[in-house]
């Protein structure tokens, strides 16, 4: 959902010694909550090593301030990235106060403290410091009528009793048919590229996103559930279209669909779309998963999750999280690789084909492990254009959040917001931060940077657990992204793309495919 608009920030700041700066690069975020009765001037962390600064920025007049910020967020110069960049420059700070959409009349309170650098952003991952209850979509929560009347896992904080069994259910969903993932992916995406070759020969171009939608939904259902959705009489080939309509009803307050501004701002950003309008579509999806996911629902019951609750969590995980993620991430990968050029393509093709030949011509987990450049190229796509750009957390207690240069007082109950593309393109951490560099994460220096790749609501160097909000499918997503890159360069020496914008991520059209010659 992020764009690749440049976000280079430059303003003078108080600089500590080089030695102290190196220490801070090793510890990106430190927050403390101990406040003594004698500290009348604010919250002070006993571990703080940076000067304390009041969080700059303001929310403006009630209602009008939120409407002003919403208009600039959606329709201002530079788009969403420009909205944050202009405020960083105006306040000379990467931690500041602003209003986040949608505001009136959907969100009760749009006020946030924005964290817009790699140092402050990771506080959002600390379950001891922030509460994630009902904050998956930010300052508003979609109606539970869209999810069978249940608060699904994405909206549940780790402190709640239902979190652990629900996340355990998703771990089971991802793992119980793991041996089917690689062969199913190759079968489904092999067919996709075959169709795209025919379309390219016929029309001179092929819309990757159009074909990816059907492939992604089919792959997920076949690999994780062992069912082909197109063979279901009630669902057929409508699955992806039904999912996207349902997603718009949840994320509409945060989307731009390209409608006339007044109509779009009124229809999507000011009032909720009635869930009743999409109920029949959702019921068709739920009916398919109720039958197809029966063994997983059985496991949920064993874990203490009621069958109906398990069903709707599975629908959300597969349709919103997994399918939605593939709809955004896969075109992004193709876009950045397409722009990387023939030299990068040659290196990737050589690595992929050598690894596969060394393993009997098969794409296996061992073969994938011998493709470090492929893995780096995937991480770089996740860094430069994270599929979920915005994270939220409410402060559980008074604390100090540190950027690279200052500490900022945050009070219990204040809502923290992080815009990930600015954190993962922080020039204080990444050289050539605005460029896609496929080999960025190779070698020891590259591996050390992985802790700053945080697309999964946690660092890439960590594994999701029952006690945090890191994406349960983190490793699954990286695996299938690597499979996509491997499939491309087994088939083609190089390819070209045209790129546009869409409501969710990028629109990518393939304009040429050079078939493998070695």
């Amino acid at each position: 959902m992020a764009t690749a608009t440049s976000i280079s920030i430059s303003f003078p700041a108080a600089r500590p010694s080089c030695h102290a700066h190196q220490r801070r690069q090793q510890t990106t975020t430190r927050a403390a909550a101990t406040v003594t009765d004698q500290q009348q001037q604010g919250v002070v962390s006993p571990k703080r090593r940076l000067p304390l600064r009041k969080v700059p920025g303001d929310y403006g007049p009630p209602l009008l301030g939120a409407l002003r910020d919403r208009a600039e967020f959606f329709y201002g110069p530079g788009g969403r990235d420009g909205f944050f960049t202009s405020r960083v420059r105006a306040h000379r700070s990467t931690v500041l106060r602003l209003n986040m959409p949608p505001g009136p009349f959907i969100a009760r309170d749009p006020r946030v403290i924005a964290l817009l650098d790699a140092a402050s952003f990771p506080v959002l991952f600390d379950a001891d410091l922030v509460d994630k209850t009902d904050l998956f979509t930010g300052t508003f929560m979609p109606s539970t009528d869209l999810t069978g009347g249940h608060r699904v896992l994405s909206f549940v904080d780790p402190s709640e009793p239902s979190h652990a069994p629900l996340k355990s259910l998703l771990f089971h969903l991802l793992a119980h048919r793991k041996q089917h993932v690689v062969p199913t992916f190759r079968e489904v995406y092999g067919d996709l590229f075959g169709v795209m070759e025919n379309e390219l020969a016929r029309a001179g171009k092929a819309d990757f996103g159009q074909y990816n939608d059907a492939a992604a939904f089919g792959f997920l259902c076949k690999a994780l559930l062992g069912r082909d959705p197109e063979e279901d009489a009630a669902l057929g080939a409508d699955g992806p279209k039904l999912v996207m309509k349902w997603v718009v009803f949840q994320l509409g307050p945060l989307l731009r669909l390209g409608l006339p501004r007044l109509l779009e701002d009124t229809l999507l950003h000011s009032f909720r779309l009635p869930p009743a309008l999409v109920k029949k579509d959702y019921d068709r999806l739920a009916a398919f998963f109720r039958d197809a996911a029966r063994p997983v629902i059985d496991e949920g019951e064993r874990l203490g999750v009621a069958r109906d609750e398990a069903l709707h969590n599975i629908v959300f995980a597969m349709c919103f999280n997994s399918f939605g993620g593939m709809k955004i991430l896969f075109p992004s990968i193709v876009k950045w690789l397409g722009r990387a050029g023939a030299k990068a393509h040659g290196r990737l093709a050589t690595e992929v084909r050598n690894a596969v030949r060394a393993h009997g011509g098969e794409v296996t987990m061992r073969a994938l492990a011998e493709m470090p450049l492929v893995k780096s190229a995937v991480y770089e796509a996740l860094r430069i254009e994270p599929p979920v750009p915005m994270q939220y957390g409410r402060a559980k207690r008074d604390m100090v959040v540190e950027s690279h240069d200052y500490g900022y007082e945050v009070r219990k109950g204040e809502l923290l917001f992080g815009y990930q593309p600015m954190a993962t393109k922080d020039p204080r951490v990444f050289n050539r931060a605005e460029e896609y560099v496929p080999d960025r994460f190779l070698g020891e220096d590259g591996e050390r940077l992985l802790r700053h790749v945080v697309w999964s609501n946690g660092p890439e160097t960590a594994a999701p657990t029952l006690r945090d909000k890191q994406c349960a499918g983190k490793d699954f997503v990286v695996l299938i992204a690597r499979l996509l890159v491997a499939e491309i360069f087994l088939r083609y020496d190089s390819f070209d793309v045209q790129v546009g914008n869409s409501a969710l991520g990028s629109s990518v059209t393939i304009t040429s495919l050079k078939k493998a010659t070695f």
Side-chain angles (χ1 to χ4, degrees):
M1 296 172 69
T3 64
T5 305
S6 176
I7 320 178
S8 296
I9 304 299
S10 177
F11 51 86
R15 292 294 185 109
S17 69
C18 179
H19 182 58
H21 176 68
Q22 290 174 348
R23 291 199 306 269
R24 283 197 306 280
Q25 293 288 348
Q26 296 168 359
T27 307
T28 58
T29 299
R30 297 168 297 276
T34 303
V35 185
T36 68
D37 294 336
Q38 290 77 27
Q39 292 169 330
Q40 300 297 322
Q41 300 303 314
V43 184
V44 178
S45 164
K47 297 181 181 180
R48 180 173 58 84
R49 288 181 285 181
L50 296 175
L52 195 64
R53 183 185 181 189
K54 182 180 178 180
V55 180
D58 66 87
Y59 303 116
L63 185 66
L64 294 178
L67 291 173
R68 173 204 66 195
D69 285 359
R70 183 173 80 193
E72 186 172 342
F73 179 89
F74 286 116
Y75 308 107
R80 185 169 59 189
D81 291 348
F83 172 77
F84 297 113
T85 301
S86 64
R87 280 158 172 73
V88 168
R89 288 178 174 153
H91 297 289
R92 303 164 68 87
S93 175
T94 51
V95 176
L96 48 90
R97 297 182 184 275
L98 48 79
N99 298 291
M100 277 300 293
F105 300 93
I106 294 175
R108 183 179 61 84
D109 187 353
R111 298 172 298 172
V112 303
I113 296 175
L115 312 178
L116 305 175
D117 60 70
S120 61
F121 190 90
V123 74
L124 293 165
F125 310 146
D126 193 329
D128 292 328
L129 295 176
V130 299
D131 187 286
K132 297 274 191 173
T133 303
D134 297 339
L135 294 176
F136 178 64
T137 47
T139 59
F140 80 103
M141 179 182 172
S143 171
T144 56
D145 289 345
L146 293 163
T147 49
H150 297 278
R151 287 174 62 239
V152 294
L153 177 64
S154 292
F155 295 93
V156 177
D157 187 73
S159 63
E160 298 182 63
S162 62
H163 183 272
L166 287 175
K167 198 165 185 179
S168 295
L169 174 65
L170 297 195
F171 283 145
H172 175 78
L173 170 66
L174 292 163
H176 81 294
R177 284 176 50 87
K178 60 185 179 182
Q179 71 274 18
H180 297 279
V181 171
V182 174
T184 304
F185 187 95
R186 295 214 65 203
E187 175 191 348
V188 172
Y189 275 82
D191 290 343
L192 173 147
F193 286 114
V195 171
M196 290 191 67
E197 287 179 19
N198 292 336
E199 181 66 11
L200 195 61
R202 185 189 69 82
K205 59 182 180 179
D207 183 344
F208 176 78
Q210 172 188 341
Y211 296 109
N212 179 61
D213 283 359
F217 190 73
F219 158 72
L220 290 167
C221 294
K222 291 176 182 178
L224 301 184
L225 303 178
R227 290 284 291 273
D228 184 343
E230 294 195 10
E231 293 180 357
D232 182 84
L235 191 61
D238 293 339
K241 291 184 292 185
L242 299 179
V243 171
M244 288 316 303
K245 184 177 177 182
W246 171 66
V247 167
V248 167
F249 273 66
Q250 296 179 78
L251 294 183
L254 301 177
L255 298 179
R256 282 203 64 184
L257 299 183
L259 302 173
R261 174 173 172 176
L262 181 60
L263 176 62
E264 183 175 81
D265 207 46
T266 302
L267 180 64
L268 290 182
H269 307 148
S270 300
F271 303 99
R272 294 176 183 264
L273 296 171
L277 296 180
V278 77
K279 186 178 187 304
K280 289 184 178 179
D281 297 319
Y282 182 73
D283 286 347
R284 286 178 65 190
L285 288 168
F288 168 74
F289 285 100
R290 184 178 287 108
D291 182 47
R294 191 180 304 276
V296 184
I297 294 172
D298 291 343
E299 175 65 14
E301 195 169 34
R302 190 189 69 78
L303 292 167
V305 181
R307 296 188 70 84
D308 194 60
E309 185 176 14
L311 165 66
H312 294 289
N313 272 273
I314 292 166
V315 174
F316 196 88
M318 291 195 63
C319 295
F320 191 107
N321 299 135
S322 301
F323 170 76
M326 292 176 73
K327 181 178 177 63
I328 297 169
L329 177 60
F330 277 23
S332 175
I333 290 173
V334 173
K335 174 184 76 174
W336 291 110
L337 286 176
R339 289 175 168 177
K343 183 176 179 181
H345 295 172
R347 291 180 62 196
L348 284 160
T350 299
E351 178 181 86
V352 169
R353 295 170 199 177
N354 286 345
V356 171
R357 287 173 187 142
H359 290 272
E362 296 292 328
V363 177
T364 64
M365 295 300 292
R366 287 188 176 183
L368 288 170
E370 295 174 11
M371 302 178 193
L373 181 58
V374 168
K375 197 171 188 178
S376 175
V378 167
Y379 286 145
E380 179 69 341
L382 289 164
R383 177 198 72 85
I384 200 168
E385 195 171 15
V388 181
M390 296 180 281
Q391 279 86 26
Y392 291 82
R394 192 171 300 280
K396 287 185 174 181
R397 54 195 182 190
D398 294 344
M399 59 182 167
V400 168
V401 175
E402 291 189 354
S403 69
H404 292 294
D405 300 305
Y406 296 100
Y408 297 87
E409 298 179 5
V410 173
R411 298 294 185 180
K412 179 180 178 180
E414 290 191 295
L415 186 59
L416 299 172
F417 155 78
Y419 185 57
Q420 189 175 153
M422 292 188 76
T424 56
K425 289 189 279 188
D426 187 336
R428 301 276 288 269
V429 173
F430 295 102
N431 294 324
R432 299 157 61 196
E434 299 290 338
E435 297 179 36
Y436 178 79
V437 182
D439 59 1
R440 185 184 297 277
F441 298 102
L442 293 181
E444 291 184 5
D445 290 342
E447 288 181 4
R448 281 193 288 268
L449 286 173
L450 282 175
R451 63 193 176 96
H452 299 292
V453 178
V454 292
W455 66 274
S456 64
N457 202 21
E460 191 59 37
T461 50
T465 72
L466 300 181
R467 299 177 299 279
D468 60 40
K469 292 301 292 181
Q470 189 165 27
C471 175
K474 166 183 170 285
D475 294 336
F476 176 80
V477 170
V478 173
L479 169 61
I480 60 175
R482 291 160 65 193
L483 286 170
L484 175 67
V485 178
E487 192 67 29
I488 290 171
F489 289 107
L490 277 174
R491 291 172 169 270
Y492 310 110
D493 288 345
S494 189
F495 64 98
D496 294 302
V497 297
Q498 290 179 345
V499 179
N501 295 319
S502 71
L504 294 174
S506 300
S507 169
V508 179
T509 300
I510 305 293
T511 57
S512 73
L513 291 168
K514 182 182 178 182
K515 290 191 176 183
T517 57
F518 65 92

